[in-house]
Each structure stands twice: as structure tokens, then as C-alpha cells.
Amino acid sequence: RCPPTTVLTLVENAVRHGIDPSEDGGRIAIEIERHGGRCVIRVTDTGAGLHPSTHRLGTGLTTLRERLQLMFGEAAQLRLSASTRGGVVAEVDMPVHT
């Protein structure tokens, strides 16, 4: 089970906040992996990067986090981190339910 539009939300966020503001454009990579009983969705961009002045998530990511909480409780996580190549890594880690 995966909340609808999870990948779309992560990609839209990467475009809007990473690629669009970057004068050089950039790339977006999407990875989905299963690790035992966990599913990890990772969207990485090479755009503008994290802004230290922003301490809260925008509407799209806040809504995604709420949907994850409703479906999985504390068993799911949404994480944002700086990419080693510039840009941002957005990662959803959730249980696999069959």
C-alpha cells in the first residue's frame, strides 16, 4: 500500500523547489526499493538545495506526511536531506503490507 500521488508529490516538490529556482536546471532521479518488510521511495534532485531559513514543510509534503501517518502511524517516515551532489534527497520509508 502506498498513499496515492506519493511519487508525484515528491517529484513536483523537486521541480518546484529544486530545479525551477536553479539557473542551471538539473536532474531528478526516482528510486523505489524494497528492504525486507520496508518500501523506500527516494527522489533526488540536483537543484537549488535546502534553504536553512525554511524550517517547515510546504503544503504538498505536509499533506503527504499526514497521509502516511493516517495509513501507517509512526511506522512511516518522510525525510529530507541535502544530497552529496547538491540538491535534495526526499525519502519516504514505509512498511510493505501485502
Side-chain angles (χ1 to χ4, degrees):
R1 297 181 338 172
C2 182
T5 71
T6 296
V7 175
L8 175 65
T9 299
L10 296 175
V11 171
E12 282 181 339
N13 196 70
V15 170
R16 182 170 184 205
H17 300 289
I19 303 303
D20 279 352
S22 173
E23 291 184 21
D24 298 328
R27 298 180 61 90
I28 296 173
I30 302 168
E31 301 171 69
I32 302 173
E33 301 174 325
R34 184 174 179 164
H35 298 285
R38 308 287 301 170
C39 177
V40 178
I41 301 170
R42 186 176 304 111
V43 175
T44 306
D45 71 67
T46 61
L50 288 174
H51 302 285
S53 62
T54 306
H55 296 289
R56 61 185 177 92
L57 299 177
T59 303
L61 294 181
T62 297
T63 302
L64 176 57
R65 182 171 275 165
E66 289 170 358
R67 284 186 283 150
L68 289 167
Q69 178 109 32
L70 287 171
M71 287 184 80
F72 303 107
E74 297 298 318
Q77 298 178 8
L78 170 61
R79 297 183 289 264
L80 295 178
S81 59
S83 172
T84 57
R85 293 187 265 162
V88 174
V89 178
E91 191 172 82
V92 172
D93 183 341
M94 62 191 163
V96 174
H97 290 286
T98 53

